[in-house]
Amino acid sequence: MHPAPSLILFTTLSGLGFGLLAFLGVGLPSVTGWIAAVFFAIGFVLAGGGLAFSAFHLGHPERALKAFTQWRSSWLSREAWAASGTLGLMALFAAALVLGGLRIAPLGWLGALACLATVGVTSMIYASLRTVPRWHHWSTTAMFLGYALCGGALLAGQRWPALVLLALTGLGQFLAWKAGDARFAAAGSTTGTATGLGHLGQVRLFEPPHTGGSYLTREMVFVVARKHATKLRSIALILAFLVPLALLLLPDFHHLGAALAVLSHTLGVLAARWLFFAEAEHVVGLYYNRSAA
Amino acid sequence: MTDLPEKTERKLGLVIDLDTCVGCHACVIACKGWNTENYGAPLADADAYGTDPVGAFLNRIHTFEVQPDPREDGSLPPAQMFHLPKSCLHCDDAPCVTVCPTGASYKRVEDGIVLVNETDCIGCGLCAWACPYGAREMDPAEKVMKKCTLCVDRIYNDNLPEADRQPACVRTCPAGARHFGDLADPDSAVSRLVEARGGMDLMPEQGTKPVNKYLPPRPRDAEIDVLAPYLAPVDEHPKGFLGWLDRALGKL
């Protein structure tokens, strides 16, 4: 799939933002006043900014409000409701805390749950697509939640939760990549089933329908340079997990270390998200002889 | 609503004969022409005369080569060539419809045609991702999703002569490889064709239940020998002028 910058930024930033808001909702750290205001501002800017980036992906962003109508069948529509509802809940919680000095704990807990639910719903936009076997799996949702919680823990300065979450999510990502590599073949679609000619022999594309590119080849038949995929995966793992883990384990861990850990983690997540899109093979590639390697 | 209808009254669709299609791309051009000049946003081309032209098409022809398995003696039978016209299959279980966040995509209850309401489309592209067949393309100029309408503005159009009230691709096909009709009616010409020829679905494992069917190629003769009687082996020992020529050339 085409790794559109708008979608990479959307999923990365909103994941970080909702992760931080989830931690703030349960009172980790239990801040008040100006410090709380700054924490919440970071959370809202990341989550809201990420959502704003998603609008750049639209051909007609001026009609974006129509996306609230089809929540009964569409995960994208549910995402619109979940994100705006969650931001509303957390805004109420933050206002009471910052302006009124009042911590409405049940509201915070509900907001934290809604934050995670929103990240889960975002992941379902991708995981629900049967046409992309690599995504069509529960591990897609697990990884989105893992990344959001890692980023949230780092941004919220929760050292020990962050250590545990980073270790688990890093391991999970490694395993998810390994399992994902085999999923296209396991899904059973081949050039033979795509053309219905498989019973006659070996089918291969002789002549594509068009000599140039098309929306389909640009959007869905994006092929990442495979010799770089392993390197990029290593870079993503190092930046997103190993560097923050090392920084968190430093004996005199403080603000500079925390900032560096967040920065490194964010860069790593961006690399991992680029791979999430670039490595995903769509079955329509079978009509273009460009399926999984 | 982007919920799919439980059942459609009719299932209008195409039956495409892979045995007959000659790969002339006339249907591609007829489709592009009709759908540029009629219902909906015109099918645009971008950079049409430049170095990197792209354009929206609702119907495209892929050509595949099939190499049959080796014979018992180990020799390879000749490879065969098939042209596969591909457009929206108007699936019963259309994943493109349910993912649409705005309700722009819908499947009609009365005839099963899958359409896009272009004034509701936000151009998110998720429906194109959800389609296994690459049937939907974003228009490069209008930024709304385009797809086969089964020429909904022809098939019910009383202003056209009756012979023209079928999709442009079917009307134009010079080989008679494309057929249009109601696949819910077991007695329709298309249903009988599907029955007689073993019509098949593309990528059935995707669970989309396509309405459009493809007729598989009929079995080919093991050896193509209609001309064999006229192609007797060349005489190994020619006489007369040819014999002299053969000997003279051999001595050179």
Side-chain angles (χ1 to χ4, degrees), chain B residues 48-64:
Chain B
Y49 302 99
T51 51
D52 196 15
V54 288
F57 285 78
L58 311 183
N59 179 30
R60 294 187 186 267
I61 315 287
H62 300 241
T63 298
F64 290 93

Side-chain angles (χ1 to χ4, degrees), chain A residues 59-60 63 66-67 69-70 72-74 130-131 189 193 202 204 206-207 209-210 216 219-220 282 287, chain B residues 1-3 60-63 65 67 98-99 101 103 118 120-123 129-131 134 142-143 203 205:
Chain A
H60 283 276
R63 300 175 187 160
K66 289 178 191 276
T69 58
Q70 303 303 314
R72 288 196 304 178
S73 71
S74 167
R130 199 168 178 176
T131 48
S189 290
T193 66
Q202 284 295 316
R204 79 177 179 99
F206 184 77
E207 209 170 40
H210 41 88
L216 297 176
E219 189 76 6
M220 279 165 278
H282 194 287
Y287 291 107
Chain B
M1 270 294 175
T2 49
D3 285 334
R60 294 187 186 267
I61 315 287
H62 300 241
T63 298
E65 179 200 74
Q67 174 61 62
T98 50
V99 299
E118 291 175 1
D120 279 350
C121 176
I122 57 173
W129 285 14
C131 171
E142 283 296 319
K143 303 291 179 197
M203 274 199 257
E205 70 280 0

Side-chain angles (χ1 to χ4, degrees), chain A residues 23-293:
Chain A
F23 274 92
L24 294 175
V26 296
L28 294 170
S30 182
V31 282
T32 49
W34 277 108
I35 302 174
V38 171
F39 267 113
F40 276 108
I42 295 171
F44 284 118
V45 165
L46 286 172
L51 292 170
F53 271 114
S54 72
F56 287 112
H57 188 66
L58 302 180
H60 283 276
E62 78 279 6
R63 300 175 187 160
L65 285 180
K66 289 178 191 276
F68 283 90
T69 58
Q70 303 303 314
W71 50 270
R72 288 196 304 178
S73 71
S74 167
W75 283 103
L76 183 50
S77 186
R78 289 170 196 163
E79 209 271 340
W81 279 105
S84 46
T86 303
L87 288 177
L89 272 179
M90 290 308 293
L92 278 179
F93 177 72
L97 187 66
V98 174
L99 304 175
L102 181 68
R103 173 180 297 281
I104 311 171
L107 185 62
W109 278 94
L110 186 66
L113 211 62
C115 285
L116 296 184
T118 303
V119 174
V121 170
T122 305
S123 76
M124 280 309 290
I125 299 172
Y126 305 104
S128 66
L129 294 177
R130 199 168 178 176
T131 48
V132 185
R134 189 186 282 275
W135 291 349
H136 191 55
H137 195 254
W138 59 264
S139 61
T140 300
T141 301
M143 290 320 301
F144 267 66
L145 286 171
Y147 276 110
L149 286 169
C150 281
L154 282 172
L155 282 166
Q158 300 302 304
R159 190 175 182 183
W160 292 107
L163 276 170
V164 175
L165 286 164
L166 282 169
L168 284 177
T169 309
L171 182 67
Q173 177 64 84
F174 178 77
L175 295 174
W177 274 329
K178 287 285 158 215
D181 287 344
R183 213 164 287 134
F184 192 96
S189 290
T190 63
T191 312
T193 66
T195 59
L197 298 169
H199 62 286
L200 297 175
Q202 284 295 316
V203 185
R204 79 177 179 99
L205 183 69
F206 184 77
E207 209 170 40
H210 41 88
T211 50
S214 73
Y215 174 74
L216 297 176
T217 55
R218 198 188 70 85
E219 189 76 6
M220 279 165 278
V221 199
F222 186 90
V223 178
V224 63
R226 294 209 167 254
K227 60 177 176 177
H228 295 310
T230 316
K231 282 183 201 163
L232 276 168
R233 285 181 179 185
S234 311
I235 290 170
L237 284 180
I238 291 168
L239 287 177
F241 304 106
L242 297 182
V243 170
L245 277 173
L247 286 168
L248 288 175
L249 288 171
L250 286 180
D252 54 346
F253 177 69
H254 212 266
H255 276 93
L256 180 66
L260 283 175
V262 167
L263 186 70
S264 173
H265 178 74
T266 308
L267 289 174
V269 180
L270 286 171
R273 257 329 121 69
W274 187 87
L275 284 167
F276 175 76
F277 288 101
E279 286 196 293
E281 312 92 337
H282 194 287
V283 292
V284 81
L286 294 168
Y287 291 107
Y288 289 90
N289 257 17
R290 282 189 250 170
S291 58

Side-chain angles (χ1 to χ4, degrees), chain B residues 82-240:
Chain B
F82 300 102
H83 308 287
L84 186 99
K86 194 163 56 59
S87 53
C88 174
L89 307 178
H90 298 280
C91 303
D92 270 344
D93 209 341
C96 55
V97 169
T98 50
V99 299
C100 177
T102 69
S105 281
Y106 60 106
K107 185 170 173 70
R108 307 209 312 179
V109 179
E110 62 269 36
D111 53 16
I113 300 179
V114 176
L115 288 176
V116 175
N117 180 347
E118 291 175 1
T119 56
D120 279 350
C121 176
I122 57 173
C124 69
L126 192 57
C127 55
W129 285 14
C131 171
Y133 308 107
R136 290 171 168 244
E137 300 189 16
M138 186 90 77
D139 188 87
E142 283 296 319
K143 303 291 179 197
V144 293
M145 199 53 74
K146 301 295 294 184
K147 68 173 296 301
C148 164
T149 66
L150 216 56
C151 284
V152 70
D153 49 347
R154 285 175 68 95
I155 58 177
Y156 297 117
N157 192 336
D158 293 336
N159 296 319
L160 295 177
E162 195 169 346
D164 285 336
R165 287 179 214 160
Q166 41 183 328
C169 57
V170 175
R171 185 75 179 100
T172 206
C173 179
R178 305 178 71 98
H179 308 270
F180 164 69
D182 179 9
L183 286 135
D185 172 9
D187 294 324
S188 68
V190 283
S191 293
R192 278 182 282 141
L193 202 50
V194 169
E195 179 68 28
R197 293 278 306 281
M200 61 189 182
D201 294 343
L202 300 186
M203 274 199 257
E205 70 280 0
Q206 280 279 327
T208 53
K209 302 196 199 97
V211 168
N212 284 14
K213 301 287 177 209
Y214 285 79
L215 303 181
R218 295 181 178 90
R220 305 264 162 121
D221 295 333
E223 297 295 337
I224 301 167
D225 62 352
V226 281
L227 291 175
Y230 307 102
L231 294 173
V234 176
D235 193 349
E236 294 292 326
H237 302 288
K239 297 180 179 65

Side-chain angles (χ1 to χ4, degrees), chain A residues 10-26:
Chain A
F10 155 55
T11 55
T12 304
L13 297 182
S14 71
L16 286 172
F18 283 119
L20 173 58
L21 290 176
F23 274 92
L24 294 175
V26 296

